[in-house]
Amino acid sequence: MNLRSLQELGSDSELLGALALWLVIFLRLPSARRSHQQKMLLLSVSGLAGSITVYLDPVTAVLNHTFTFAQSCGLFMNAWGVLSSALILDFVLAAMSRRRPWLIYGPMIVTIAGLILLNYTIDPHAGCVTSEVVPWYSPFWWLLVTAHLVGTIPCAVLLARCGHQVHDDRPLRAGLLLLAAGFTSSSVFWCVVLAFLLTRLAWLGALFPGNVGLTAWLMTAGVGLPLALTAYRTACDARTMWRLHPLWRDLVDAVPHVALDTPRNRIRVVLGSPHSIHLRLYRQVIEIRDALLVLQDYVTPETMERARRHITSHPLPDGQSEPAFTACWLHAAVQAKAAAATPRPNPLVTANHDCLRGEIDFLLAVLRARRLPAIRSFAPPPTASDPATPAPQSSHIPATLPTPTNRRNS
């Protein structure tokens, strides 16, 4: 691959990376508003995204035809770059609880003014600032490179340190390290710029677009990781609701009063925002568990013991015994409820779990066990009519699970 092909490939990567970065920034805005640190981080990433964007060929062409700053589109780009560096440094100091806006934005204004002054001193009609017009020994380049590195290097170090300190949250750790890699790539870019000014090697200049493109894609991955995780979790929740729907429908038909709302269409229940889908799944699990608590009073302890012996007599895979036992007595309980049997308090309680994920896994195992021939072949003993007064349904305490919490975004 020659240098021209390398530069064209880098330019395409740069353009696509900038578009992807702005897209994930826009999608992260709603969640970032709830956290000051996320807001500051997103603002610093937006500054870097703007610094990348103004160097894109289509944007540069528009600036040349519609806007002139100090007779130099290059100065406009460099001024934006200094602004983005100030935003990044502001985030670093805010994360360290040492935020001093005047200490950041004051020198930023002085730096931009210095770049304009140096440009007029060297060549007031240079057009876009280039290495041919402004030589390497000019304070213009050293001031510009220093302004960028002062922002990107501390931010990369801070994010890398925070990423290594996070041990119990792998997605957050990965997101922080990706962002650290993005700011590191931006720092490398300005080091390559300085090396090119000193050596004038053509292959270093051909690396510029690819380096910028790599920075954009790393930042996109870091900012977009929480979005990808949220989409994955939402898809998993929707898939779980879809799979649990037959069990939930059967139990709600048997015990209608456990349902908070009128049963929805199976397709409609899996549509909605990530938060609403998660809450809907949580409520579905609670309603299934409440129905199990109600239906267990429609089987006697003798029937449950018989179900236990029936399941034990059949070979089942590891971990399927308890779900198969539940499916077995549940089959008998639904039949007894349909036959208008009299409920009686049952001292044998079903298995319960401390977390939503464990409860879901158990209910899915019950759903699979209902299809086993061993469950369908279970025949409960005939029950004699019981004149006892039915136990009031208010005596049933609804099943409880940990309250669902908002998922964390990095």
Side-chain angles (χ1 to χ4, degrees):
M1 179 180 292
N2 55 35
L3 294 182
R4 182 177 181 83
S5 300
L6 180 63
Q7 192 165 5
E8 290 177 352
L9 180 63
S11 298
D12 293 339
S13 174
E14 181 183 14
L15 177 60
L16 295 175
L19 293 175
L21 181 55
W22 280 116
L23 177 61
V24 296
I25 289 174
F26 176 77
L27 294 176
R28 281 292 304 276
L29 282 176
S31 61
R33 288 182 299 179
R34 297 191 293 267
S35 170
H36 179 68
Q37 282 193 340
Q38 288 190 27
K39 195 187 312 181
M40 292 291 294
L41 177 59
L42 201 62
L43 187 61
S44 66
V45 174
S46 300
L48 185 59
S51 181
I52 294 173
T53 303
V54 295
Y55 280 95
L56 298 176
D57 291 338
V59 178
T60 303
V62 172
L63 291 174
N64 284 337
H65 288 87
T66 61
F67 186 71
T68 303
F69 173 55
Q71 303 299 319
S72 173
C73 64
L75 273 180
F76 175 81
M77 299 173 186
N78 293 326
W80 184 279
V82 174
L83 172 62
S84 70
S85 181
L87 292 174
I88 296 169
L89 189 59
D90 193 14
F91 160 72
V92 174
L93 294 181
M96 299 172 62
S97 300
R98 299 176 182 175
R99 187 169 183 249
R100 299 291 187 272
W102 60 270
L103 190 61
I104 298 173
Y105 297 103
M108 178 202 74
I109 295 174
V110 173
T111 301
I112 294 176
L115 292 176
I116 297 174
L117 180 62
L118 287 170
N119 181 74
Y120 270 107
T121 302
I122 298 168
D123 191 347
H125 304 292
C128 287
V129 179
T130 62
S131 58
E132 287 78 12
V133 176
V134 182
W136 67 268
Y137 53 81
S138 170
F140 180 94
W141 291 118
W142 295 93
L143 184 62
L144 180 64
V145 171
T146 302
H148 279 278
L149 294 181
V150 164
T152 55
I153 291 179
C155 193
V157 172
L158 174 67
L159 291 171
R161 187 179 67 178
C162 292
H164 284 294
Q165 290 175 349
V166 176
H167 300 290
D168 56 344
D169 193 333
R170 295 178 64 184
L172 176 60
R173 177 188 177 96
L176 290 173
L177 293 179
L178 282 170
L179 289 173
F183 283 108
T184 301
S185 177
S186 180
S187 303
V188 170
F189 169 79
W190 289 104
C191 293
V192 173
V193 168
L194 191 58
F196 174 77
L197 291 171
L198 294 173
T199 63
R200 301 292 174 160
L201 295 175
W203 64 269
L204 286 175
L207 293 178
F208 290 166
N211 196 165
V212 175
L214 176 63
T215 301
W217 282 112
L218 286 172
M219 301 300 290
T220 300
V223 177
L225 183 60
L227 296 173
L229 292 176
T230 299
Y232 173 76
R233 289 166 180 163
T234 302
C236 290
D237 287 348
R239 180 172 177 266
T240 300
M241 273 200 300
W242 181 271
R243 295 173 63 190
L244 284 176
H245 191 271
L247 177 62
W248 175 82
R249 169 70 74 173
D250 291 347
L251 297 184
V252 166
D253 288 344
V255 192
H257 71 271
V258 301
L260 182 63
D261 294 329
T262 304
R264 296 186 179 186
N265 179 275
R266 191 176 184 181
I267 296 179
R268 289 180 59 192
V269 298
V270 298
L271 300 178
S273 66
H275 184 63
S276 64
I277 290 177
H278 183 65
L279 289 181
R280 208 174 294 154
L281 172 62
Y282 179 82
R283 191 177 70 193
Q284 185 186 57
V285 172
I286 289 293
E287 290 173 355
I288 292 175
R289 174 55 64 179
D290 285 346
L292 291 176
L293 290 175
V294 172
L295 289 171
Q296 75 179 11
D297 288 349
Y298 284 87
V299 290
T300 63
E302 293 76 18
T303 301
M304 298 188 83
E305 288 298 330
R306 181 167 178 166
R308 178 75 70 181
R309 290 194 300 269
H310 178 76
I311 291 303
T312 306
S313 65
H314 291 79
L316 294 173
D318 293 339
Q320 277 290 323
S321 297
E322 193 62 31
F325 165 67
T326 301
C328 201
W329 69 255
L330 183 60
H331 176 68
V334 171
Q335 290 182 344
K337 178 71 166 57
T342 302
R344 293 182 299 179
N346 192 335
L348 297 179
V349 296
T350 59
N352 205 348
H353 300 270
D354 296 331
C355 64
L356 180 62
R357 184 69 257 171
E359 194 71 51
I360 289 173
D361 291 341
F362 177 76
L363 294 178
L364 289 174
V366 171
L367 182 64
R368 291 190 297 268
R370 295 177 75 199
R371 307 187 187 101
L372 297 175
I375 305 302
R376 298 179 180 179
S377 64
F378 175 68
T383 57
S385 58
D386 186 4
T389 302
Q393 293 188 1
S394 59
S395 64
H396 295 290
I397 301 175
T400 58
L401 288 173
T403 303
T405 56
N406 292 331
R407 297 201 177 145
R408 190 187 308 176
N409 291 326
S410 62

